[in-house]
Amino acid sequence: MKTIPWVICCLICIFFPGTVQAQEISGGLRQGQAVYEAHCASCHRITGAGLPNVFPSLQDNAFVAGDPVPLIRLILEGRKARVGYMPAWKNNLTDEQIAAVLTFIRQTWGNQAAEITPEQVARGRKE
């Protein structure tokens, strides 16, 4: 029976390729990756691919790579939609954690956008 977890791990690697490799992540993005894996990957998947018609893909995503203000608001306030749900993180994550995770998703999976700073997140909390 000890082979079952090993088999499951192999199947995950086969059917969910493209996970972010540690050697591809610079030091500044590691905190964002850790926050993403702890709080976001269960819905948006470790690959950022999301779940069609339920949780949006973060890969090559114009909203993610666009104006940071609506993105910051979404993370802080969350959103309820007809399908899917985005929890509000304003009471669970610090400005530094939110900035790190947003920078991570804005600079991963084909997204090429500027980093988000904790100061930007703090301003978003006040708006």
Side-chain angles (χ1 to χ4, degrees), residues 16-26 29 33 36-37 45-48 59 104 107-109:
F16 297 101
T19 58
V20 178
Q21 299 298 316
Q23 66 270 18
E24 296 175 7
I25 302 298
S26 69
L29 294 180
Q33 180 182 11
Y36 180 85
E37 289 175 356
R45 305 286 160 249
I46 195 77
T47 62
Q59 300 171 346
F104 173 74
Q107 296 181 356
T108 309
W109 307 305

Side-chain angles (χ1 to χ4, degrees), residues 94-118:
T94 66
D95 293 348
E96 291 77 14
Q97 289 173 309
I98 291 172
V101 74
L102 290 179
T103 297
F104 173 74
I105 66 171
R106 285 169 56 90
Q107 296 181 356
T108 309
W109 307 305
N111 298 312
Q112 297 178 351
E115 74 176 279
I116 302 289
T117 66

Side-chain angles (χ1 to χ4, degrees), residues 6-7 9 14 29 41 53 57-60 66 76 96 118 120 124:
W6 178 82
V7 171
C9 288
I14 291 168
L29 294 180
N53 301 316
S57 171
L58 303 175
Q59 300 171 346
D60 293 312
L76 289 171
E96 291 77 14
Q120 287 173 287

